PDB file of all heavy atoms in Angstrom:
ATOM      1  N   GLN B  19      83.673  65.449  93.957  1.00 61.00           N
ATOM      2  CA  GLN B  19      83.138  64.273  93.255  1.00 61.00           C
ATOM      3  C   GLN B  19      82.904  63.134  94.239  1.00 61.00           C
ATOM      4  O   GLN B  19      81.890  62.471  94.214  1.00 61.00           O
ATOM      5  CB  GLN B  19      84.120  63.792  92.178  1.00 61.00           C
ATOM      6  CG  GLN B  19      84.269  64.720  91.005  1.00 61.00           C
ATOM      7  CD  GLN B  19      83.016  64.756  90.157  1.00 61.00           C
ATOM      8  OE1 GLN B  19      82.201  65.664  90.288  1.00 61.00           O
ATOM      9  NE2 GLN B  19      82.838  63.784  89.302  1.00 61.00           N
ATOM     10  N   LYS B  20      83.873  62.940  95.117  1.00 55.00           N
ATOM     11  CA  LYS B  20      83.774  61.878  96.117  1.00 55.00           C
ATOM     12  C   LYS B  20      82.570  62.095  97.030  1.00 55.00           C
ATOM     13  O   LYS B  20      81.826  61.170  97.323  1.00 55.00           O
ATOM     14  CB  LYS B  20      85.068  61.805  96.937  1.00 55.00           C
ATOM     15  CG  LYS B  20      85.719  60.423  96.867  1.00 55.00           C
ATOM     16  CD  LYS B  20      86.768  60.210  97.937  1.00 55.00           C
ATOM     17  CE  LYS B  20      87.973  61.082  97.692  1.00 55.00           C
ATOM     18  NZ  LYS B  20      89.146  60.778  98.469  1.00 55.00           N
ATOM     19  N   MET B  21      82.400  63.333  97.457  1.00 53.00           N
ATOM     20  CA  MET B  21      81.273  63.656  98.327  1.00 53.00           C
ATOM     21  C   MET B  21      79.946  63.395  97.628  1.00 53.00           C
ATOM     22  O   MET B  21      79.017  62.850  98.209  1.00 53.00           O
ATOM     23  CB  MET B  21      81.331  65.128  98.759  1.00 53.00           C
ATOM     24  CG  MET B  21      82.065  65.325 100.068  1.00 53.00           C
ATOM     25  SD  MET B  21      82.336  67.069 100.408  1.00 53.00           S
ATOM     26  CE  MET B  21      80.656  67.694 100.392  1.00 53.00           C
ATOM     27  N   GLN B  22      79.891  63.781  96.368  1.00 59.00           N
ATOM     28  CA  GLN B  22      78.647  63.559  95.613  1.00 59.00           C
ATOM     29  C   GLN B  22      78.336  62.083  95.501  1.00 59.00           C
ATOM     30  O   GLN B  22      77.195  61.675  95.601  1.00 59.00           O
ATOM     31  CB  GLN B  22      78.745  64.190  94.234  1.00 59.00           C
ATOM     32  CG  GLN B  22      78.238  65.609  94.218  1.00 59.00           C
ATOM     33  CD  GLN B  22      78.517  66.298  92.901  1.00 59.00           C
ATOM     34  OE1 GLN B  22      79.497  66.010  92.222  1.00 59.00           O
ATOM     35  NE2 GLN B  22      77.656  67.213  92.546  1.00 59.00           N
ATOM     36  N   ARG B  23      79.381  61.293  95.300  1.00 54.00           N
ATOM     37  CA  ARG B  23      79.188  59.850  95.205  1.00 54.00           C
ATOM     38  C   ARG B  23      78.655  59.279  96.509  1.00 54.00           C
ATOM     39  O   ARG B  23      77.822  58.383  96.521  1.00 54.00           O
ATOM     40  CB  ARG B  23      80.471  59.146  94.792  1.00 54.00           C
ATOM     41  CG  ARG B  23      80.601  58.990  93.290  1.00 54.00           C
ATOM     42  CD  ARG B  23      81.512  57.846  92.946  1.00 54.00           C
ATOM     43  NE  ARG B  23      82.844  58.036  93.498  1.00 54.00           N
ATOM     44  CZ  ARG B  23      83.802  58.757  92.920  1.00 54.00           C
ATOM     45  NH1 ARG B  23      83.576  59.393  91.800  1.00 54.00           N
ATOM     46  NH2 ARG B  23      84.981  58.869  93.480  1.00 54.00           N
ATOM     47  N   GLN B  24      79.144  59.822  97.629  1.00 49.00           N
ATOM     48  CA  GLN B  24      78.672  59.347  98.923  1.00 49.00           C
ATOM     49  C   GLN B  24      77.201  59.703  99.105  1.00 49.00           C
ATOM     50  O   GLN B  24      76.447  58.948  99.693  1.00 49.00           O
ATOM     51  CB  GLN B  24      79.493  59.978 100.052  1.00 49.00           C
ATOM     52  CG  GLN B  24      80.853  59.307 100.229  1.00 49.00           C
ATOM     53  CD  GLN B  24      81.816  60.161 101.029  1.00 49.00           C
ATOM     54  OE1 GLN B  24      81.491  61.280 101.393  1.00 49.00           O
ATOM     55  NE2 GLN B  24      82.992  59.640 101.284  1.00 49.00           N
ATOM     56  N   LEU B  25      76.824  60.864  98.592  1.00 59.00           N
ATOM     57  CA  LEU B  25      75.436  61.295  98.717  1.00 59.00           C
ATOM     58  C   LEU B  25      74.511  60.443  97.875  1.00 59.00           C
ATOM     59  O   LEU B  25      73.375  60.221  98.227  1.00 59.00           O
ATOM     60  CB  LEU B  25      75.293  62.761  98.293  1.00 59.00           C
ATOM     61  CG  LEU B  25      75.892  63.802  99.227  1.00 59.00           C
ATOM     62  CD1 LEU B  25      75.738  65.187  98.610  1.00 59.00           C
ATOM     63  CD2 LEU B  25      75.234  63.756 100.591  1.00 59.00           C
ATOM     64  N   SER B  26      75.049  60.004  96.741  1.00 82.00           N
ATOM     65  CA  SER B  26      74.152  59.320  95.812  1.00 82.00           C
ATOM     66  C   SER B  26      74.004  57.842  96.157  1.00 82.00           C
ATOM     67  O   SER B  26      74.699  56.996  95.635  1.00 82.00           O
ATOM     68  CB  SER B  26      74.638  59.478  94.375  1.00 82.00           C
ATOM     69  OG  SER B  26      75.951  59.010  94.256  1.00 82.00           O
ATOM     70  N   LYS B  27      73.112  57.579  97.073  1.00 94.00           N
ATOM     71  CA  LYS B  27      72.769  56.197  97.394  1.00 94.00           C
ATOM     72  C   LYS B  27      71.723  55.713  96.381  1.00 94.00           C
ATOM     73  O   LYS B  27      71.074  56.515  95.742  1.00 94.00           O
ATOM     74  CB  LYS B  27      72.221  56.121  98.810  1.00 94.00           C
ATOM     75  CG  LYS B  27      73.285  56.424  99.848  1.00 94.00           C
ATOM     76  CD  LYS B  27      72.779  56.170 101.258  1.00 94.00           C
ATOM     77  CE  LYS B  27      73.961  56.222 102.210  1.00 94.00           C
ATOM     78  NZ  LYS B  27      73.516  56.051 103.607  1.00 94.00           N
ATOM     79  N   THR B  28      71.597  54.417  96.268  1.00 96.00           N
ATOM     80  CA  THR B  28      70.693  53.853  95.275  1.00 96.00           C
ATOM     81  C   THR B  28      69.417  53.316  95.915  1.00 96.00           C
ATOM     82  O   THR B  28      69.477  52.565  96.892  1.00 96.00           O
ATOM     83  CB  THR B  28      71.411  52.750  94.468  1.00 96.00           C
ATOM     84  OG1 THR B  28      72.538  53.337  93.814  1.00 96.00           O
ATOM     85  CG2 THR B  28      70.486  52.143  93.432  1.00 96.00           C
ATOM     86  N   VAL B  29      68.308  53.733  95.348  1.00 97.00           N
ATOM     87  CA  VAL B  29      66.996  53.259  95.788  1.00 97.00           C
ATOM     88  C   VAL B  29      66.331  52.521  94.617  1.00 97.00           C
ATOM     89  O   VAL B  29      66.259  53.042  93.519  1.00 97.00           O
ATOM     90  CB  VAL B  29      66.095  54.446  96.227  1.00 97.00           C
ATOM     91  CG1 VAL B  29      64.689  53.957  96.565  1.00 97.00           C
ATOM     92  CG2 VAL B  29      66.706  55.183  97.418  1.00 97.00           C
ATOM     93  N   MET B  30      65.884  51.315  94.893  1.00 98.00           N
ATOM     94  CA  MET B  30      65.121  50.582  93.889  1.00 98.00           C
ATOM     95  C   MET B  30      63.639  50.677  94.258  1.00 98.00           C
ATOM     96  O   MET B  30      63.273  50.480  95.417  1.00 98.00           O
ATOM     97  CB  MET B  30      65.537  49.110  93.845  1.00 98.00           C
ATOM     98  CG  MET B  30      64.827  48.333  92.749  1.00 98.00           C
ATOM     99  SD  MET B  30      65.146  46.555  92.869  1.00 98.00           S
ATOM    100  CE  MET B  30      66.695  46.444  92.036  1.00 98.00           C
ATOM    101  N   ILE B  31      62.820  51.026  93.277  1.00 98.00           N
ATOM    102  CA  ILE B  31      61.384  51.131  93.516  1.00 98.00           C
ATOM    103  C   ILE B  31      60.688  50.038  92.725  1.00 98.00           C
ATOM    104  O   ILE B  31      60.926  49.882  91.528  1.00 98.00           O
ATOM    105  CB  ILE B  31      60.857  52.523  93.088  1.00 98.00           C
ATOM    106  CG1 ILE B  31      61.688  53.639  93.753  1.00 98.00           C
ATOM    107  CG2 ILE B  31      59.374  52.670  93.457  1.00 98.00           C
ATOM    108  CD1 ILE B  31      61.395  55.030  93.217  1.00 98.00           C
ATOM    109  N   CYS B  32      59.856  49.281  93.419  1.00 98.00           N
ATOM    110  CA  CYS B  32      59.164  48.168  92.786  1.00 98.00           C
ATOM    111  C   CYS B  32      57.658  48.308  92.979  1.00 98.00           C
ATOM    112  O   CYS B  32      57.149  48.211  94.089  1.00 98.00           O
ATOM    113  CB  CYS B  32      59.663  46.866  93.404  1.00 98.00           C
ATOM    114  SG  CYS B  32      58.847  45.411  92.717  1.00 98.00           S
ATOM    115  N   ASP B  33      56.968  48.596  91.887  1.00 97.00           N
ATOM    116  CA  ASP B  33      55.509  48.710  91.918  1.00 97.00           C
ATOM    117  C   ASP B  33      54.970  48.356  90.536  1.00 97.00           C
ATOM    118  O   ASP B  33      55.552  48.760  89.524  1.00 97.00           O
ATOM    119  CB  ASP B  33      55.114  50.156  92.278  1.00 97.00           C
ATOM    120  CG  ASP B  33      53.665  50.267  92.752  1.00 97.00           C
ATOM    121  OD1 ASP B  33      52.816  49.517  92.216  1.00 97.00           O
ATOM    122  OD2 ASP B  33      53.376  51.092  93.614  1.00 97.00           O
ATOM    123  N   ASP B  34      53.884  47.589  90.492  1.00 96.00           N
ATOM    124  CA  ASP B  34      53.337  47.225  89.181  1.00 96.00           C
ATOM    125  C   ASP B  34      52.398  48.299  88.621  1.00 96.00           C
ATOM    126  O   ASP B  34      51.926  48.189  87.500  1.00 96.00           O
ATOM    127  CB  ASP B  34      52.666  45.846  89.214  1.00 96.00           C
ATOM    128  CG  ASP B  34      51.512  45.779  90.206  1.00 96.00           C
ATOM    129  OD1 ASP B  34      51.360  46.728  91.003  1.00 96.00           O
ATOM    130  OD2 ASP B  34      50.770  44.774  90.183  1.00 96.00           O
ATOM    131  N   ASP B  35      52.167  49.338  89.403  1.00 95.00           N
ATOM    132  CA  ASP B  35      51.395  50.482  88.924  1.00 95.00           C
ATOM    133  C   ASP B  35      52.392  51.484  88.339  1.00 95.00           C
ATOM    134  O   ASP B  35      53.109  52.161  89.061  1.00 95.00           O
ATOM    135  CB  ASP B  35      50.621  51.107  90.097  1.00 95.00           C
ATOM    136  CG  ASP B  35      49.851  52.370  89.685  1.00 95.00           C
ATOM    137  OD1 ASP B  35      50.258  53.031  88.708  1.00 95.00           O
ATOM    138  OD2 ASP B  35      48.856  52.679  90.351  1.00 95.00           O
ATOM    139  N   ASN B  36      52.423  51.570  87.004  1.00 96.00           N
ATOM    140  CA  ASN B  36      53.453  52.354  86.327  1.00 96.00           C
ATOM    141  C   ASN B  36      53.395  53.844  86.665  1.00 96.00           C
ATOM    142  O   ASN B  36      54.432  54.494  86.793  1.00 96.00           O
ATOM    143  CB  ASN B  36      53.382  52.151  84.811  1.00 96.00           C
ATOM    144  CG  ASN B  36      54.618  52.710  84.121  1.00 96.00           C
ATOM    145  OD1 ASN B  36      55.747  52.441  84.557  1.00 96.00           O
ATOM    146  ND2 ASN B  36      54.416  53.533  83.125  1.00 96.00           N
ATOM    147  N   ASP B  37      52.182  54.381  86.839  1.00 95.00           N
ATOM    148  CA  ASP B  37      52.048  55.804  87.174  1.00 95.00           C
ATOM    149  C   ASP B  37      52.708  56.105  88.517  1.00 95.00           C
ATOM    150  O   ASP B  37      53.437  57.092  88.670  1.00 95.00           O
ATOM    151  CB  ASP B  37      50.583  56.229  87.228  1.00 95.00           C
ATOM    152  CG  ASP B  37      49.934  56.200  85.840  1.00 95.00           C
ATOM    153  OD1 ASP B  37      50.688  56.194  84.846  1.00 95.00           O
ATOM    154  OD2 ASP B  37      48.701  56.165  85.761  1.00 95.00           O
ATOM    155  N   LEU B  38      52.447  55.244  89.491  1.00 94.00           N
ATOM    156  CA  LEU B  38      53.057  55.421  90.811  1.00 94.00           C
ATOM    157  C   LEU B  38      54.563  55.223  90.756  1.00 94.00           C
ATOM    158  O   LEU B  38      55.318  55.965  91.389  1.00 94.00           O
ATOM    159  CB  LEU B  38      52.464  54.423  91.814  1.00 94.00           C
ATOM    160  CG  LEU B  38      51.240  54.885  92.577  1.00 94.00           C
ATOM    161  CD1 LEU B  38      50.829  53.827  93.582  1.00 94.00           C
ATOM    162  CD2 LEU B  38      51.491  56.205  93.302  1.00 94.00           C
ATOM    163  N   LEU B  39      54.980  54.237  89.998  1.00 96.00           N
ATOM    164  CA  LEU B  39      56.413  53.956  89.832  1.00 96.00           C
ATOM    165  C   LEU B  39      57.136  55.214  89.336  1.00 96.00           C
ATOM    166  O   LEU B  39      58.146  55.629  89.899  1.00 96.00           O
ATOM    167  CB  LEU B  39      56.574  52.804  88.844  1.00 96.00           C
ATOM    168  CG  LEU B  39      57.928  52.129  88.747  1.00 96.00           C
ATOM    169  CD1 LEU B  39      58.316  51.450  90.053  1.00 96.00           C
ATOM    170  CD2 LEU B  39      57.933  51.097  87.618  1.00 96.00           C
ATOM    171  N   GLN B  40      56.574  55.823  88.277  1.00 97.00           N
ATOM    172  CA  GLN B  40      57.188  57.036  87.700  1.00 97.00           C
ATOM    173  C   GLN B  40      57.136  58.193  88.688  1.00 97.00           C
ATOM    174  O   GLN B  40      58.105  58.950  88.826  1.00 97.00           O
ATOM    175  CB  GLN B  40      56.460  57.433  86.405  1.00 97.00           C
ATOM    176  CG  GLN B  40      56.517  56.397  85.298  1.00 97.00           C
ATOM    177  CD  GLN B  40      57.937  55.990  84.907  1.00 97.00           C
ATOM    178  OE1 GLN B  40      58.856  56.806  84.913  1.00 97.00           O
ATOM    179  NE2 GLN B  40      58.124  54.708  84.598  1.00 97.00           N
TER     180      GLN B  40
END
Side-chain angles (χ1 to χ4, degrees):
Q19 291 291 99
K20 237 195 291 192
M21 268 171 58
Q22 269 172 329
R23 269 204 301 276
Q24 281 163 357
L25 289 177
S26 56
K27 292 187 169 177
T28 300
V29 175
M30 184 189 277
I31 307 170
C32 179
D33 198 325
D34 60 350
D35 177 334
N36 192 48
D37 292 342
L38 270 183
L39 193 63
Q40 299 304 324

